[in-house]
Amino acid sequence: MDGLDTVSSFNAGFSGGMVSYVFETPDNGVIVVGSFTSYWKIDYAYSSRVNRYYINTKVKNVARLKEDGTLDSTFNVNNTGFNGFVNGAVKLNDGRIVIAGTFTNYNGKAVNNIVCLKPNGEVDEDFLSHGGTNLPIQSVTYNSTLNKLAIAGTFKTFGSVPTNGVVLLNADGSVDQNFVLGDMDGEFPNYAYILNSGKVFVTGSFSKYNGINRGGVLILETDGTAKQEYNNLGSFRGTPTTLVETTSSLGNPAILLGGTIYEVGGKNVGHIVKIEIKN
């Protein structure tokens, strides 16, 4: 028996790759970032209950959708996307989106593994003027309270500033030169996050930091030094993708980590773990 078809009020989809990051806009739309190459929506005027007619639009890596899922054609006009891979994206307090990864070109513009987009999709030239990295960025994180970014990867420079793979950035894209990452004995970090205290949480493949044994995890002072009382967490294996500051069962400061995390302090964990930090 035939009846009315039920349709979604949000009519949208992407193909050619995944949507990795979604950010809400003030008008209830969304900005999506990922590895996709095209957008589609169902044209219900030419569809039946059995057969759907899809409208496809070429759009790569970044798109803005209206509240009903319609592609916003005024955002990022003629977007050709990245010539590499997106490894992370964050939304700043003012609505700009910072995207980092392994790429040297975005929408026809030369960039070095990081780019900042204005709310209308245009590249933020002021942010871009501070440069980028010479090698890939593995992660980008943002502390909205401090209005600062942290990037981590295999890079050795950001713009003209030498670094060992972690850089803290101000919201305008300039380097916070008060923080200097120490020597990791030839290894590299894969994740960094600025805590509300100003200390910097870092993980990676390293086993030493400035010549002292460290098990792949650090909580550094604001200048990059490692005090022993913050760095006795034991071994760490994995790559975090998200961090939330919280408290432990004893009421002490703690961080909740999620991601591809296998081991913390010699104990196997199931990709999520809470770590107490006694300041």
Side-chain angles (χ1 to χ4, degrees):
M1 183 175 179
D2 291 333
L4 295 176
D5 196 3
T6 300
V7 299
S8 172
S9 61
F10 186 82
N11 180 12
F14 292 90
S15 58
M18 70 174 67
V19 172
S20 302
Y21 307 93
V22 178
F23 306 104
E24 187 177 11
T25 61
D27 59 356
N28 296 320
V30 293
I31 294 174
V32 295
V33 181
S35 58
F36 52 84
T37 57
S38 65
Y39 158 89
W40 57 258
K41 68 177 296 185
I42 300 171
D43 187 341
Y44 288 107
Y46 294 93
S47 297
S48 68
R49 191 171 185 177
V50 177
N51 297 306
R52 297 285 191 262
Y53 179 75
Y54 292 88
I55 300 173
N56 292 277
T57 304
K58 185 178 180 181
V59 58
K60 189 177 179 183
N61 298 123
V62 186
R64 187 186 188 281
L65 305 182
K66 299 179 181 179
E67 186 174 7
D68 63 356
T70 301
L71 184 67
D72 185 348
S73 60
T74 67
F75 178 88
N76 216 2
V77 179
N78 298 321
N79 176 34
T80 56
F82 296 101
N83 66 341
F85 300 99
V86 172
N87 293 332
V90 294
K91 180 184 176 184
L92 307 186
N93 288 335
D94 59 8
R96 289 176 297 151
I97 306 293
V98 175
I99 305 170
T102 307
F103 48 80
T104 57
N105 189 284
Y106 173 71
N107 207 7
K109 182 175 290 292
V111 294
N112 291 318
N113 304 306
I114 189 168
V115 68
C116 180
L117 303 183
K118 297 178 181 179
N120 64 358
E122 294 179 355
V123 172
D124 185 339
E125 297 287 353
D126 291 337
F127 190 102
L128 185 64
S129 68
H130 295 285
T133 62
N134 66 320
L135 290 170
I137 298 171
Q138 298 301 119
S139 75
V140 56
T141 60
Y142 177 61
N143 184 309
S144 60
T145 300
L146 301 180
N147 199 25
K148 284 182 177 289
L149 300 120
I151 59 172
T154 58
F155 52 88
K156 288 293 186 181
T157 60
F158 187 96
S160 61
V161 180
T163 176
N164 287 324
V166 170
V167 166
L168 307 188
L169 299 176
N170 300 308
D172 64 356
S174 61
V175 174
D176 178 355
Q177 298 196 42
N178 180 62
F179 177 88
V180 178
L181 189 73
D183 178 61
M184 290 190 164
D185 199 33
E187 299 299 323
F188 297 96
N190 56 29
Y191 182 86
Y193 185 92
I194 311 171
L195 303 174
N196 288 336
S197 63
K199 295 181 174 65
V200 183
F201 177 81
V202 180
T203 65
S205 60
F206 54 89
S207 57
K208 289 186 177 181
Y209 186 72
N210 287 337
I212 299 174
N213 290 337
R214 298 286 189 247
V217 60
L218 293 162
I219 299 177
L220 302 175
E221 298 300 300
T222 57
D223 62 356
T225 58
K227 289 187 177 180
Q228 180 60 39
E229 59 262 37
Y230 304 130
N231 290 284
N232 56 357
L233 301 176
S235 59
F236 186 98
R237 287 194 304 116
T239 304
T241 55
T242 187
L243 182 153
V244 176
E245 294 194 57
T246 182
T247 56
S248 70
S249 58
L250 298 177
N252 293 316
I255 53 175
L256 182 65
L257 294 174
T260 308
I261 304 171
Y262 304 101
E263 178 186 328
V264 178
K267 297 181 179 179
N268 294 331
V269 297
H271 305 304
I272 185 169
V273 63
K274 182 183 283 190
I275 300 174
E276 185 180 63
I277 303 171
K278 294 182 180 180
N279 291 331

